[in-house]
Amino acid sequence: MAETKAKTTLIFVPLPVLSHLLASIKLANLLTDRDDRLSITILILNLQLDSKISSRIKNSQNSRVHFVQLERDESDKSPKSTLVQIVSSQKSAVKSAAAAAAAGSNLSGFIFDILCSSMMDVAAELGAPSYIFFTCGAAGLGLLFRISDLIRRRDRALKDYLDSDAEVPAPTFVNPVPAKVWPAMAFANEAGFLDLTDRLRSVSGIVVNTFLELEAHAIAALAGDAAAPAVYPVGPLLHDEEESADDAARLRRAEILGWLDEQPESSVAFLCFGTNGYFDEAQVTEIATALERSGTRFLWSLRKPPSKETGAAISEYENPGKVLPGGFLDRTAGTGRVIGWAPQMAVLSHRAVGGFMTHCGWNSILESVSCGVPMAVWPMFAEQQMNAFQLVHELEIAVEIKMDYRRDAPKLVAADRIEKGIRELMDVDNKIHANVKELKEKSKNALMENESSSNFVRSFIENVTNL
Ligand SMILES: *[C@@H]1O[C@H](CO)[C@@H](O)[C@H](O)[C@H]1NC(C)=O
Ligand SMILES: *[C@@H]1O[C@H](CO)[C@@H](O)[C@H](O)[C@H]1NC(C)=O
Ligand SMILES: *[C@@H]1O[C@H](CO)[C@@H](O)[C@H](O)[C@H]1NC(C)=O
């Protein structure tokens, strides 16, 4: 039967960093599982951003999801100082790889990461529609459109908003959104931001890693916006944890989970700020003081800052005791652990974990929601501040540590404030606990047959295959 069916190829162009790639692989598997006419080729741009990518590609086992690693075009002399320029310089490689991948089938569309949207020109040249895979939330997507409208209106310079206490209503949020939590990308380069949001508005659809029950208000607002493309919430798409090849990492993982096994239910606060989240020593001291005073059990993933002198990247401490207050590790030996890397999903799904202090990356949020763990928000970069606002004020599944913290302009957060946040987070009578448990159940159902995300997957496939 298979050979009589029309064959359809989709081309994915994700940003080649691990978290984006993993989400794309998940989406590709979801789509091909649903419809056996579909083949998907994931093009890996040659940006040399992430070394772990090759092993993930090798381990992917789906006969209808293929990977093509692009070569860099050495003859190309166009400027390549920004990510957008580097991505653009690979247009011709993307064009020929896509044409080759689709040979013998119908090329039904391209799915781009938002930062690869300059590639939409290639899709147009090949006569195929462009879609975007948006790896943050629907409320945040709507805020990008709202801010681009404000820039166009030009009644006030965007930078003046950033330094003000202005709060601006946005259709995808119930509450007015403080300018202090708007995404940094809007302020960094207004022209580039407008170009990007214009491209976003012009695509045939935006696939969003979220689910209807999590962001019902935002999704309804986008559906009602005639100037916004169709939005397909198909999540939550969570990363599979890779079985580590490295004995030391396996041992550390077992040790962490073994320690959690000995702790009472919902008693442990888990602190983890993402791969690029770190603090200076003064801030580390405030966090340690807060943890000790709160008396709560804790598991703290502590990263070592990059070094200006040696140029060393963010890494792990060999001896975290050196940056912690004197005697801290001894005094908290019975109640807490300071670790480096953390197997985040395994920790969040452990029954002993009762709260998650997080940098509010969207993947971390989805993991925490799926595990029913309430959060304390301490954002670092990018769109994390607006995610933090959404968690605290819109979804009411988090407490605030500091919503407008920015890693590139850090202001010391005092121990008192952190301690208060930890106590509120771990208070099982706080409504955030009940709220997130409810969402956990809904997140489990979303991708089941005839449920919200599952139905959006079907309508997305109908749209791309033109049925
Ligand atoms: C491409 O699509 C057309 C129309 O749906 C179909 O008739 C044709 O068989 C398809 N081609 C392949 C190679 O599947
Ligand atoms: C799908 O869900 C809708 C609404 O919940 C229901 O009316 C319909 O009968 C369901 N269809 C199937 C095939 O289960
Ligand atoms: C797919 O969506 C686009 C944009 O919303 C729409 O114009 C088009 O008609 C849809 N195609 C199908 C086959 O549903």
Side-chain angles (χ1 to χ4, degrees):
M1 288 298 287
E3 60 272 28
T4 65
K5 287 185 179 164
K7 289 196 170 52
T8 283
T9 298
L10 281 176
I11 307 289
F12 280 28
V13 188
L15 197 67
V17 294
L18 195 60
S19 63
H20 288 236
L21 180 76
L22 293 179
S24 289
I25 295 175
K26 273 271 165 177
L27 178 62
N29 288 337
L30 184 67
L31 296 174
T32 50
D33 284 351
R34 188 57 87 79
D35 191 316
D36 60 11
R37 294 166 303 174
L38 281 180
S39 282
I40 292 176
T41 295
I42 302 180
L43 302 182
I44 312 293
L45 298 179
N46 190 331
L47 304 192
Q48 286 155 358
L49 290 178
D50 205 319
S51 57
K52 295 201 193 82
I53 284 179
S54 321
S55 83
R56 288 305 183 105
I57 293 173
K58 267 190 228 112
N59 293 339
S60 174
Q61 326 237 330
N62 179 332
S63 60
R64 281 182 290 118
V65 176
H66 312 279
F67 297 89
V68 175
Q69 282 182 279
L70 300 181
E71 302 290 329
R72 204 183 280 264
D73 178 2
E74 299 299 344
S75 67
D76 176 55
K77 298 279 182 277
S78 59
K80 293 185 208 57
S81 52
T82 66
L83 183 61
V84 170
Q85 287 170 343
I86 300 171
V87 169
S88 293
S89 73
Q90 299 190 36
K91 279 184 186 172
S92 67
V94 165
K95 187 175 177 182
S96 44
S105 73
N106 287 315
L107 177 57
S108 325
F110 282 79
I111 301 186
F112 297 112
D113 186 277
I114 177 172
L115 293 175
C116 300
S117 60
S118 62
M119 292 286 174
M120 285 167 60
D121 305 346
V122 174
E125 284 167 30
L126 292 172
S130 289
Y131 298 84
I132 293 284
F133 179 29
F134 194 69
T135 49
C136 299
L141 173 62
L143 187 60
L144 300 185
F145 290 140
R146 178 75 176 105
I147 296 172
S148 70
D149 290 343
L150 283 173
I151 297 176
R152 285 245 152 72
R153 225 195 287 154
R154 297 230 167 269
D155 51 352
R156 194 171 174 187
L158 206 54
K159 291 224 163 23
D160 295 344
Y161 278 106
L162 184 59
D163 298 329
S164 76
D165 290 320
E167 295 188 347
V168 177
T172 50
F173 285 79
V174 175
N175 303 286
V177 186
K180 286 195 163 73
V181 305
W182 291 358
M185 74 191 292
F187 301 104
N189 170 357
E190 285 187 20
F193 180 72
L194 284 181
D195 180 55
L196 191 130
T197 45
D198 284 349
R199 283 175 181 274
L200 260 180
R201 281 196 202 276
S202 72
V203 295
S204 298
I206 303 180
V207 177
V208 187
N209 191 5
T210 187
F211 57 102
L212 185 62
E213 294 78 5
L214 179 67
E215 299 197 85
H217 174 81
I219 291 163
L222 287 166
D225 177 355
V231 165
Y232 301 92
V234 301
L237 303 174
L238 304 171
H239 301 170
D240 301 317
E241 199 194 335
E242 191 177 38
E243 183 68 24
S244 181
D246 163 5
D247 283 344
R250 266 207 296 267
L251 205 66
R252 265 184 318 195
R253 182 180 191 281
E255 210 230 334
I256 291 165
L257 298 179
W259 181 78
L260 285 173
D261 286 343
E262 290 160 19
Q263 311 307 316
E265 182 149 346
S266 299
S267 67
V268 176
F270 174 44
L271 288 72
C272 186
F273 303 93
T275 331
N276 298 315
Y278 59 87
F279 299 104
D280 63 19
E281 285 188 28
Q283 188 63 75
V284 168
T285 299
E286 299 298 311
I287 297 173
T289 306
L291 281 171
E292 200 172 346
R293 282 195 209 143
S294 76
T296 190
R297 291 168 201 270
F298 65 86
L299 182 67
W300 181 6
S301 167
L302 181 63
R303 311 273 295 160
K304 185 177 177 178
S307 161
K308 280 201 199 82
E309 291 90 62
T310 66
I314 302 168
S315 60
E316 300 194 357
Y317 287 107
E318 271 169 41
N319 175 9
K322 273 201 236 160
V323 290
L324 290 161
F328 173 81
L329 289 177
D330 291 332
R331 291 193 301 276
T332 58
T335 51
R337 280 290 165 97
V338 177
I339 58 170
W341 164 87
Q344 182 165 296
M345 190 63 183
V347 169
L348 286 171
S349 47
H350 197 286
R351 53 151 197 88
V353 172
F356 179 27
M357 195 184 291
T358 171
H359 69 303
C360 305
W362 189 253
N363 285 321
S364 294
I365 292 170
L366 289 180
E367 290 182 358
S368 206
V369 166
S370 304
C371 297
V373 178
M375 287 161 269
V377 302
W378 194 329
M380 300 276 143
F381 306 99
E383 81 304 336
Q384 293 159 6
Q385 291 79 13
M386 80 184 173
N387 293 346
F389 176 79
Q390 186 184 8
L391 292 176
V392 174
H393 292 289
E394 303 277 301
L395 304 176
E396 300 184 341
I397 55 175
V399 298
E400 176 174 7
I401 301 293
K402 186 147 176 51
M403 199 130 59
D404 57 0
Y405 189 90
R406 291 186 192 260
R407 176 62 265 157
D408 50 5
K411 296 202 180 84
L412 192 73
V413 184
D416 286 351
R417 183 167 187 164
I418 305 167
E419 181 189 347
K420 179 169 173 281
I422 293 171
R423 289 183 186 279
E424 288 169 355
L425 172 67
M426 301 308 288
D427 172 8
V428 290
D429 295 327
N430 189 328
K431 65 173 188 285
I432 60 175
H433 285 257
N435 290 351
V436 77
K437 295 273 175 321
E438 207 175 297
L439 284 174
K440 172 187 176 175
E441 295 312 313
K442 291 174 176 164
S443 82
K444 275 199 265 182
N445 293 335
L447 274 160
M448 290 183 180
E449 171 113 23
N450 198 29
E451 296 290 342
S452 60
S453 291
S454 176
N455 289 340
F456 276 111
V457 170
R458 177 161 20 86
S459 59
F460 176 70
I461 292 176
E462 283 168 3
N463 192 274
V464 285
T465 56
N466 208 354
L467 284 175

